[in-house]
Every structure is written in C-alpha cells, then in structure tokens.
Amino acid sequence: APASATRRICGITVSFRTEPSFYNRYLEASAAADVVSRLTDGRLIRIDRTTDIVEPGLAERWTRSDNGLTYTLALRRDVRFSDGQPFTSADVLFSARVLYDPGVNSTLAAATLVHGKPLVFAAPDPWTVTVTMPAPFAPGLRLLDNLPILPRHKLEAAFSENRLREVIAAIPAFQ
C-alpha cells in the first residue's frame, strides 16, 4: 500500500489490580508504580527479564575497574527528556542525591545499598558517570536497574526547597 494509505497505531494496554498513588517510583513501592515507571522512566542499564543479561539503557557502555568496585559508564548523547532538554550526567547525580536523601525517604534506597552503605556517584564530564560500590558486590551494575533517572532541570528547585515529596504528591495518578 502507498505510504499515505498506511497508518500505524501504537499503544499499550495494561490492567492493574491497584493504581499507583504517584507516578514517581522513588516514593511508592507498589507493583503498579513499578510497571508505570518501567514503561515511562529511563534507567542507566536494564536487565532483560527473559535472558537475565544486563543491557545498555541510558548508558551505552561501561567498564569495570581492576578492583571490581568502580564502574565507568558512557552515557548516550542522543537522549532528551520529553520537554526537549538533554539528558546528562547531572541528571544521574541528581537522581542519586534524591535516592539517598533522608528527607525524601525513597522506597528505592534500601534496594540500592551494598552492605548497608550507598553507592557513590561522580561525574567527570557531562557524558560520563562513575559508580563506586562501597564493598565487593557480585550483582554489580544490576542495582542500577532499580534507579529511574529524574530530570534535574524540572525537580531540583523543589528538592532544594525540601518540597519534592509535596510536588510529586500533587501529580495525580491515573484518572
């Protein structure tokens, strides 16, 4: 058929037994919030649920240090948030700050600790992130499959004013 006659329809239909209270996975641990987050939020890496292989996400590749504690991730340069702003290492560092901030009390924090200690994130440039484990940890980068990346440019002001929970709580769940 000619291109003008071809129409592509895309969509996802999901059935939930419960609705998430927030769109933000940092604040809700329900299965519904996790599904919504996995469909809408980017992560540095992802785990293929069929093969159990770690695959690139927002990080296109990575290397591991000789001691196995530090991973250096090269970020994809072609990624933009839905409002057109570019994704950079600043968004990863912001997401890590929110993750471990006691005022936020993130539901994801406990799932991203190694021997009770947080991961250490650094950014030597806008396209590189290092993640250092506080101790040897066999799953390694698999922890990052739990970490949705937040848009720093949209949420940092609210976070700095200790209003992040209030801002996120004001976003309605499914209507």
Side-chain angles (χ1 to χ4, degrees):
S4 61
T6 304
R7 184 172 170 206
R8 184 175 175 176
I9 299 173
C10 298
I12 297 173
T13 302
V14 180
S15 174
F16 291 112
R17 289 187 176 264
T18 61
E19 294 180 358
S21 299
F22 305 111
Y23 283 116
N24 192 311
R25 181 64 177 86
Y26 283 68
L27 301 177
E28 183 172 336
S30 73
D34 190 52
V35 168
V36 170
S37 175
R38 290 199 182 274
L39 293 172
T40 60
D41 298 331
R43 288 166 166 71
L44 294 171
I45 61 95
R46 60 180 171 255
I47 299 171
D48 182 304
R49 300 304 194 249
T50 304
T51 63
D52 204 37
I53 294 173
V54 176
E55 299 177 334
L58 295 172
E60 60 186 4
R61 66 185 177 284
W62 53 87
T63 58
R64 188 172 70 169
S65 65
D66 290 340
N67 67 6
L69 296 179
T70 301
Y71 293 85
T72 302
L73 295 90
L75 303 180
R76 290 177 42 197
R77 295 177 183 228
D78 61 343
V79 176
R80 294 190 175 277
F81 288 97
S82 60
D83 64 359
Q85 291 295 312
F87 158 72
T88 69
S89 60
D91 299 298
V92 177
L93 296 183
F94 175 71
S95 299
R97 281 179 44 213
V98 171
L99 175 69
Y100 295 124
D101 187 277
V104 173
N105 193 25
S106 173
T107 60
L108 297 175
T112 54
L113 298 175
V114 174
H115 299 293
K117 296 179 181 173
L119 307 177
V120 176
F121 291 79
D125 63 57
W127 311 113
T128 307
V129 172
T130 61
V131 180
T132 303
M133 307 285 168
F137 190 64
L141 280 183
R142 291 174 169 274
L143 285 178
L144 300 181
D145 182 60
N146 291 321
L147 182 64
I149 301 302
L150 300 171
R152 180 190 59 81
H153 69 283
K154 287 285 191 184
L155 297 174
E156 188 169 45
F159 177 74
S160 298
E161 296 170 7
N162 293 319
R163 294 185 318 106
L164 187 60
R165 276 180 110 31
E166 170 189 323
V167 169
I168 293 170
I171 299 172
F174 294 102
Q175 301 297 326

